[in-house]
Amino acid sequence: MNTCYGLTGGIGSGKSTVAKLLEELGARVVDTDEISHRLTAANGLALPAIQQAFGDTYLDKDGALDRAKMRALVFSDMDAKQRLQAILHPLILKQAKSDARSPTEAPYTLVVVPLLFESARYRDWLNGVIVVDCPAEQQVARTLQRSALDESMVRAIMAQQMDRASRLQHADEVILNDGSLEQLKGRVAELHKRLAER
Ligand code: ADP
């Protein structure tokens, strides 16, 4: 089977950027956020269960999940969050595994999972985990620049995620993203070379 590495890191650390750079270098990327979007798009596999659990309130006019509305709900309602995750997580895991195990010409597969260490279900079938790391203040600044979230929201999300030190402790490889994009590109190219040669 193709060697599969997990790629994780806190919000705004640069996961998507690193995944895109590795993809350009030849890695096959399986992105669990993308899978989640597909599952919750109109006619997505997760919609019947979501509709059954939450009613039509959280669907938009096209019948897709209203992600903003649902995000607001699960942010303040732990029970709703758990119900949503109980529906989505097994479906995402199944799809990610099946995508990662499909044949490929790529030297390895990268499975992007924002909360990889927080959910035990990924560790056992991945050959290693790469962590994208940067100081907390950079995480905040980058996330604010990219999204509509305000600073208190970003910090609250960060507080719910694993802390930086623990994440680093669990890493097999670390990409430090504390400088320019050019610097990052150099570090990513080095990592790719090592992973592709294994
Ligand atoms: P994540 O996927 O971990 O949430 P992203 O890869 O989306 O993070 O990065 C967050 C934002 O920061 C994006 O707008 C991205 O272009 C920007 N960014 C990431 N790394 C750097 C860097 N080294 N220098 C400048 N901007 C960066």
Side-chain angles (χ1 to χ4, degrees):
M1 199 183 80
N2 197 239
T3 310
C4 294
Y5 299 106
L7 182 79
T8 193
I11 183 171
S13 59
K15 288 180 299 296
S16 314
T17 309
V18 169
K20 196 164 135 272
L21 292 170
L22 287 170
E23 191 169 36
E24 283 167 12
L25 293 170
R28 187 243 307 260
V29 172
V30 172
D31 185 334
T32 55
D33 263 349
E34 248 171 52
I35 292 174
S36 168
H37 278 251
R38 260 189 279 144
L39 289 170
T40 56
N43 298 319
L45 273 179
L47 277 182
I50 290 176
Q51 195 170 14
Q52 200 175 24
F54 296 94
D56 289 338
T57 323
Y58 294 92
L59 303 187
D60 67 17
K61 60 179 184 350
D62 302 320
L65 176 67
D66 186 332
R67 300 178 67 86
K69 206 166 173 184
M70 183 57 89
R71 194 180 309 117
L73 172 73
V74 300
F75 199 74
S76 56
D77 183 338
M78 211 48 203
D79 175 63
K81 183 176 179 175
Q82 279 167 1
R83 279 189 294 140
L84 181 69
Q85 287 180 339
I87 295 169
L88 279 179
H89 283 182
L91 290 172
I92 294 172
L93 177 70
K94 190 165 167 233
Q95 190 64 50
K97 263 188 179 172
S98 131
D99 288 356
R101 284 171 175 170
S102 70
T104 176
E105 297 286 303
Y108 62 91
T109 297
L110 200 66
V111 186
V112 187
V113 191
L115 299 178
L116 192 149
F117 296 128
E118 286 87 338
S119 75
R121 289 174 286 199
Y122 285 88
R123 294 294 330 245
D124 59 345
W125 59 277
L126 293 171
N127 301 96
V129 177
I130 304 156
V131 166
V132 184
D133 175 60
C134 75
E137 291 316 307
Q138 265 175 331
Q139 271 184 274
V140 174
R142 286 179 186 153
T143 307
L144 288 179
Q145 187 192 72
R146 178 200 57 186
S147 73
L149 300 172
D150 67 27
E151 183 170 340
S152 62
M153 194 82 161
V154 176
R155 290 193 188 275
I157 291 171
M158 284 168 62
Q160 287 180 358
Q161 299 184 340
M162 179 178 268
D163 66 86
R164 188 179 178 193
S166 312
R167 205 182 276 122
L168 288 174
Q169 238 176 18
H170 287 93
D172 299 297
E173 296 275 357
V174 178
I175 285 272
L176 181 60
N177 182 20
D178 65 347
S180 67
L181 277 175
E182 276 317 301
Q183 258 175 336
L184 180 65
K185 272 186 195 171
R187 289 171 186 168
V188 167
E190 252 172 54
L191 174 70
H192 174 74
K193 197 158 169 283
R194 265 187 294 126
L195 296 180
E197 275 168 3
R198 271 185 202 164

